Amino acid sequence: MFYHFTSFLLIMSVFVFGNTYFIDYVSGSDTNPGTSQSAPWKRCPGMNGFSAAYFHAAGDVFVFKGGVTWPAAALPLTIAYNGSVENTDTYTTDHAWYSGADWTQPAFDGELFEKTLVSASDKSHVLINDLRLINAGALTANGVIGFKFINCSYFELSNNTFAPESWGCLYVSTERTGDYNTFLVHHNDISRCAFAMRFVPAAPASIMYNVQVYNNTIHDFHSQLSGAVHGDGIQHYCSPDNAASYDRYIEGFKIFNNHFSGDFSQVAGSGGAMTALIYLSGSSKGVQIYNNVFAPQYSGSQSPNFFESFISLRDNPNRGGHHKIYNNTFRTPVSGGQAAAILEDDTRYPSPFLDVKNNIFSNFNWPFDLRSTSHTIDYNDEHFVSDIGKWAGSFVGSFSNWVALGLDRNGHSEDPGFVSSTNLHLSQTSPCIGQGADLSDHFTTDIEGNARSGSEGFSLGAYDFDLDSQPTTAVQGTLLPTVPGLFPLNIRSYQNGAARISLPYFTQYQLAVYAINGQRMGPSARGVAGAGLHVVSMNKTRLPQGVYMLRLAIQGGVVSKKICVVK
């Protein structure tokens, strides 16, 4: 969609809409108008060396050419302007405009210049989307933070690749008293740092509202974990981090649908390591943590106890606790290799009134290390090695002892029945299917967007049971050789949101849409039908224009077809 400049008078008010500018470092020039792909700029406003004549309007869109790299000489990028309500300034891409044989993300490459790569201060209504942001720091341990956003509101970071080779990736902070509203971080790929993101209310009476971190892949911190460096995935704390800082906090903090994986072991040294994948040590209350997969790995000779815990909680004594930890899948890579999945660490700063439901804890030496006793813990599967964990700071022992304390009376302690050790979907024989509490007041889908069963019982863990996750016989074309019959498994056509399919026999089926890179998209349809031809309506309104793969799965086979969405 292209924005244009328009002005008109309506009840003595002037409305100005943004323009679209195109940027190509290879063939562009800042002497060009920048408003067409044939005459693009070389840099955008806020980049080092930008020299074009430019007059900002809220809602301006800056489109970077795919397959092109902006080197250190053009960086850093300092966001210099604000958007406005309904007119967001946008830094993004057009997948039809690229250099090379195939589209790839445009890259901002700091070439290890050891500086912040992108920053903004006191800015609002800004979207940064679909960029590759790399090499801000160095290949060895360093103190660089790749991306800093201070006193910002209505900010959104989506679909980016962050690989900064720096101590920190994203740092979001408030350094002035006041209210700051809405910071969204979603559908990003984050790696090669020691911490993925920190949210830090740092000024007295500064409150951040509506912080949401979702659908990110956070992985492989190995290259930046050396010496005494301690790593964290998503961290929240107040500055200064003491009891008197309870007047600064986040209201409405949600962490959901994220996937933590890859190598989190140290590359060198032994003094540091990972602290946690989610680390809360501030004064925020009622943080919601749900539908996340915690499945880190380690390499080399490092002890498998390479984390303090997967979730560490050290709340402010004057404000905090009441966190909701729902439907997460926790798996440690080595049997007995991780002390605790959830740690309430410090008796001075407890995290009271936790609500822990519908989670899977697999392969842990002990899943819990809790210091207080005000928590609600139920409907979980704790598949542990030596002990259920600590309650009031003391080991409990067996699962039956745990239940005798009034904990997990509707839970169980069994092998969760994953499809495999690396595929943490639930197999058809999993004891976790349909065994959870109905949490549909909080969310209604799983990590992949599949509907949860609601009143019939949520399945435990991040993945609801799903035909699409089951091992199948992949086929090409239209014939499934192992299922003879008149109607082979096939997607015959797709048009205007409706798929025409054929099924070989009476079966459950699922249709789902994937991006070309394999990422699951939102629209899907499920049903039960007999052998023959069927028309299945799908919701395509959430899909942007582009090319996708439509996948049809049944118990016994799967086929895919490339589709094109045009709006």
Coordinates of all heavy atoms in Angstrom, one line a residue, residues 424-454:
L424 N 8.2 -31.1 20.1 CA 7.5 -31.1 21.3 C 6.0 -30.9 21.2 O 5.3 -30.6 22.1 CB 8.0 -30.0 22.2 CG 9.5 -30.1 22.5 CD1 10.0 -29.0 23.5 CD2 9.9 -31.5 23.0
H425 N 5.4 -31.2 20.0 CA 4.0 -31.4 19.8 C 3.6 -32.6 20.6 O 4.4 -33.5 20.8 CB 3.6 -31.5 18.3 CG 3.8 -30.3 17.5 ND1 5.0 -29.9 17.0 CD2 2.9 -29.3 17.1 CE1 4.9 -28.8 16.4 NE2 3.6 -28.4 16.4
L426 N 2.3 -32.7 20.9 CA 1.8 -33.9 21.6 C 1.5 -35.0 20.6 O 0.8 -34.7 19.6 CB 0.5 -33.5 22.4 CG 0.7 -32.4 23.4 CD1 -0.6 -32.1 24.1 CD2 1.8 -32.7 24.5
S427 N 1.9 -36.2 20.9 CA 1.5 -37.3 20.1 C 0.1 -37.8 20.4 O -0.5 -37.3 21.3 CB 2.5 -38.5 20.4 OG 2.3 -39.0 21.7
Q428 N -0.4 -38.6 19.6 CA -1.8 -39.1 19.7 C -2.1 -39.8 21.0 O -3.2 -39.9 21.5 CB -2.2 -39.9 18.5 CG -2.2 -39.2 17.2 CD -2.7 -40.0 16.0 OE1 -3.7 -40.7 16.1 NE2 -1.9 -40.0 14.9
T429 N -1.0 -40.3 21.6 CA -1.2 -41.1 22.9 C -0.7 -40.3 24.1 O -0.6 -40.8 25.2 CB -0.3 -42.4 22.8 OG1 1.1 -42.0 22.6 CG2 -0.8 -43.3 21.7
S430 N -0.5 -39.0 24.0 CA 0.0 -38.2 25.1 C -1.1 -38.1 26.2 O -2.3 -37.9 25.9 CB 0.3 -36.7 24.6 OG 0.5 -35.9 25.7
P431 N -0.7 -38.3 27.5 CA -1.6 -38.1 28.6 C -2.0 -36.7 28.9 O -2.8 -36.4 29.8 CB -0.8 -38.7 29.8 CG 0.6 -38.5 29.4 CD 0.7 -38.6 27.9
C432 N -1.4 -35.7 28.1 CA -1.6 -34.3 28.3 C -2.8 -33.8 27.5 O -3.2 -32.6 27.6 CB -0.4 -33.5 28.0 SG 1.0 -33.9 29.1
I433 N -3.3 -34.6 26.6 CA -4.4 -34.1 25.7 C -5.7 -33.9 26.5 O -6.2 -34.8 27.1 CB -4.6 -35.1 24.5 CG1 -3.3 -35.2 23.6 CG2 -5.8 -34.6 23.7 CD1 -3.4 -36.2 22.6
G434 N -6.2 -32.7 26.4 CA -7.5 -32.4 27.0 C -7.5 -32.5 28.5 O -8.6 -32.6 29.1
Q435 N -6.4 -32.4 29.2 CA -6.3 -32.6 30.7 C -6.2 -31.3 31.4 O -6.1 -31.3 32.7 CB -5.2 -33.5 31.0 CG -5.3 -34.9 30.4 CD -6.6 -35.6 30.9 OE1 -6.8 -35.7 32.1 NE2 -7.4 -36.0 30.0
G436 N -6.2 -30.2 30.8 CA -6.0 -28.9 31.4 C -7.2 -28.2 31.8 O -8.3 -28.5 31.5
A437 N -7.0 -27.1 32.6 CA -8.1 -26.2 33.0 C -8.5 -25.4 31.8 O -7.7 -25.1 30.9 CB -7.7 -25.3 34.1
D438 N -9.8 -24.9 31.7 CA -10.2 -24.0 30.7 C -9.8 -22.6 31.0 O -10.2 -22.0 32.0 CB -11.8 -24.1 30.6 CG -12.4 -23.2 29.6 OD1 -11.6 -22.5 28.9 OD2 -13.6 -23.1 29.4
L439 N -8.8 -22.1 30.2 CA -8.3 -20.8 30.4 C -8.7 -19.8 29.3 O -8.0 -18.9 29.0 CB -6.7 -20.9 30.5 CG -6.2 -21.8 31.6 CD1 -4.7 -21.8 31.6 CD2 -6.6 -21.2 33.0
S440 N -9.8 -20.1 28.7 CA -10.3 -19.3 27.6 C -10.6 -17.9 27.9 O -10.8 -17.0 27.1 CB -11.4 -20.0 26.9 OG -12.5 -20.3 27.8
D441 N -10.7 -17.6 29.2 CA -10.9 -16.2 29.6 C -9.6 -15.4 29.4 O -9.6 -14.1 29.3 CB -11.3 -16.1 31.1 CG -12.7 -16.5 31.4 OD1 -13.5 -16.6 30.4 OD2 -13.1 -16.7 32.5
H442 N -8.5 -16.1 29.2 CA -7.2 -15.4 29.1 C -6.7 -15.5 27.6 O -6.1 -14.6 27.1 CB -6.2 -16.1 30.0 CG -6.5 -16.0 31.4 ND1 -6.3 -14.8 32.2 CD2 -7.0 -16.9 32.3 CE1 -6.7 -15.0 33.4 NE2 -7.2 -16.2 33.5
F443 N -6.9 -16.7 27.0 CA -6.5 -16.9 25.6 C -7.2 -18.1 25.0 O -7.7 -19.0 25.8 CB -5.0 -17.1 25.5 CG -4.4 -18.2 26.3 CD1 -4.2 -19.4 25.8 CD2 -4.1 -17.9 27.6 CE1 -3.7 -20.5 26.6 CE2 -3.6 -18.9 28.5 CZ -3.4 -20.2 27.9
T444 N -7.3 -18.2 23.7 CA -8.1 -19.3 23.1 C -7.4 -20.1 22.1 O -8.0 -21.0 21.4 CB -9.4 -18.7 22.5 OG1 -9.0 -17.7 21.5 CG2 -10.3 -18.0 23.5
T445 N -6.1 -19.8 21.8 CA -5.3 -20.5 20.8 C -4.0 -20.9 21.4 O -3.6 -20.5 22.5 CB -5.1 -19.6 19.6 OG1 -4.3 -18.4 20.0 CG2 -6.4 -19.2 18.9
D446 N -3.3 -21.8 20.7 CA -2.0 -22.3 21.2 C -0.9 -21.5 20.5 O -1.2 -20.5 19.8 CB -1.9 -23.8 20.9 CG -1.7 -24.2 19.5 OD1 -1.7 -23.3 18.6 OD2 -1.5 -25.4 19.2
I447 N 0.3 -21.9 20.6 CA 1.5 -21.2 20.1 C 1.4 -21.0 18.6 O 2.0 -20.1 18.0 CB 2.8 -21.8 20.6 CG1 4.0 -20.9 20.2 CG2 2.9 -23.2 20.0 CD1 5.3 -21.5 20.8
E448 N 0.7 -21.9 17.9 CA 0.7 -21.9 16.4 C -0.6 -21.3 15.9 O -0.9 -21.3 14.7 CB 0.8 -23.3 15.9 CG 2.2 -23.9 16.1 CD 2.4 -25.3 15.5 OE1 1.4 -26.0 15.5 OE2 3.5 -25.6 15.1
G449 N -1.5 -20.8 16.8 CA -2.7 -20.2 16.4 C -3.9 -21.2 16.3 O -5.0 -20.9 15.9
N450 N -3.7 -22.5 16.6 CA -4.7 -23.5 16.6 C -5.7 -23.2 17.8 O -5.3 -22.9 18.9 CB -4.2 -24.9 16.8 CG -3.2 -25.2 15.6 OD1 -3.6 -25.1 14.4 ND2 -2.0 -25.7 15.9
A451 N -7.0 -23.4 17.5 CA -8.0 -23.2 18.6 C -7.8 -24.2 19.7 O -7.6 -25.4 19.4 CB -9.4 -23.3 18.0
R452 N -7.9 -23.7 20.9 CA -7.9 -24.7 22.1 C -9.3 -25.1 22.3 O -10.3 -24.4 22.0 CB -7.3 -24.0 23.3 CG -5.8 -23.8 23.1 CD -5.1 -23.6 24.5 NE -3.7 -23.4 24.4 CZ -2.8 -24.4 24.5 NH1 -3.3 -25.7 24.7 NH2 -1.5 -24.2 24.4
S453 N -9.5 -26.2 23.1 CA -10.8 -26.9 23.2 C -11.7 -26.3 24.1 O -12.9 -26.7 24.2 CB -10.5 -28.4 23.5 OG -9.8 -29.0 22.5
G454 N -11.3 -25.3 24.9 CA -12.2 -24.6 25.8 C -12.8 -25.5 26.9 O -12.1 -26.2 27.6

